[in-house]
Amino acid sequence: SQTIHQWPATLVQPVGSPLSLECTVEGTSNPNLYWYRQAAGRGLQLLFYSVGIGQISSEVPQNLSASRPQDRQFILSSKKLLLSDSGFYLCAWSVPGLAASYEQYFGPGTRLTVT
Amino acid sequence: GNSVTQMEGPVTLSEEAFLTINCTYTATGYPSLFWYVQYPGEGLQLLLKATKADDKGSNKGFEATYRKETTSFHLEKGSVQVSDSAVYFCALSREGAQKLVFGQGTRLTINP
């Protein structure tokens, strides 16, 4: 069966510090991968998605970047965090190539607080 | 463009009450429709889905029917429990697209 991992689970970082959040998927090959952010009490904002190694699509211009160095690894980064980067970050994956549906499966999330 | 609109929350009910959370959508073609649930402090879990008109998705006592004529996918449960307290998201995927379009989420609280 497939599983998705995110770490760390929680993170407190000062403004201006760098960020690296990691997401890995097990039990599937060549998944589509996604990063979302959820601000407190708000809905989901898609940040990046990837359909293959090195292929990253950015949805929102911002202080963050994403990379996919391996097939099942997706990394979210920032060189200098802003207060507005605080939130709950969710990684998700989906199976590519299905014609009928593209349901996504989510990881447990990382709670980031920028102080 | 494609969009999903959910009833605004928060919704507060008593245990064993009947639940309806409305969801309507705008999309070209024939999208698949989903309901996700997010318990406090956790990621989203797929609750149910429907991939074509008149399909009914069901899971854990929840149901939703894909109504193309009214472009709706309302979530229902006959008797809610305290453990159903969570945020519920309606979503769609358009055939051939790589992304989901989410509604804004509806917070549900069930009181004992």
Side-chain angles (χ1 to χ4, degrees):
Chain A
S1 64
Q2 300 88 4
T3 56
I4 178 169
H5 303 279
Q6 287 187 244
W7 63 89
T10 60
L11 190 60
V12 180
Q13 292 283 94
V15 168
S17 63
L19 173 73
S20 181
L21 303 181
E22 189 165 342
C23 170
T24 59
V25 181
E26 296 177 357
T28 186
S29 296
N30 195 32
N32 294 331
L33 295 171
Y34 307 84
W35 277 113
Y36 290 86
R37 176 169 59 202
Q38 190 175 28
R42 305 289 292 276
L44 293 166
Q45 179 185 34
L46 179 63
L47 303 175
F48 302 94
Y49 72 96
S50 171
V51 299
I53 295 174
Q55 300 178 63
I56 310 294
S57 296
S58 175
E59 291 294 297
V60 182
Q62 61 207 326
N63 187 41
L64 302 170
S65 62
S67 62
R68 184 171 178 174
Q70 300 181 42
D71 181 45
R72 290 169 288 178
Q73 184 184 32
F74 204 23
I75 297 173
L76 184 69
S77 303
S78 174
K79 292 182 178 178
K80 289 185 177 181
L81 284 168
L82 306 172
L83 285 174
S84 57
D85 292 324
S86 293
F88 192 48
Y89 287 81
L90 291 161
C91 182
W93 71 274
S94 69
V95 178
L98 288 178
S101 64
Y102 282 89
E103 63 257 42
Q104 294 177 14
Y105 302 94
F106 285 78
T110 295
R111 174 79 56 194
L112 171 66
T113 303
V114 182
T115 60
Chain B
N2 302 315
S3 66
V4 175
T5 302
Q6 294 180 228
M7 66 185 291
E8 290 197 22
V11 174
T12 303
L13 296 172
S14 298
E15 204 166 21
E16 300 184 1
F18 184 86
L19 168 70
T20 300
I21 300 178
N22 291 336
C23 172
T24 57
Y25 68 90
T26 302
T28 55
Y30 301 93
S32 294
L33 300 173
F34 308 90
W35 276 102
Y36 283 84
V37 58
Q38 184 180 30
Y39 298 104
E42 298 183 8
L44 277 69
Q45 299 177 26
L46 179 63
L47 182 59
L48 54 84
K49 69 177 184 180
T51 58
K52 60 183 186 296
D54 299 324
D55 266 3
K56 177 186 283 188
S58 62
N59 185 26
K60 300 181 180 180
F62 291 90
E63 294 182 338
T65 301
Y66 187 163
R67 302 286 189 199
K68 189 164 180 62
E69 63 276 13
T70 55
T71 62
S72 65
F73 193 54
H74 304 321
L75 182 68
E76 296 182 336
K77 187 175 184 182
S79 177
V80 293
Q81 306 300 313
V82 172
S83 57
D84 294 326
S85 298
V87 180
Y88 292 81
F89 291 92
C90 185
L92 69 82
S93 72
R94 188 169 50 83
E95 186 175 354
Q98 303 287 353
K99 299 178 285 185
L100 290 177
V101 177
F102 284 91
Q104 71 271 33
T106 301
R107 181 173 300 277
L108 173 67
T109 301
I110 308 299
N111 294 320

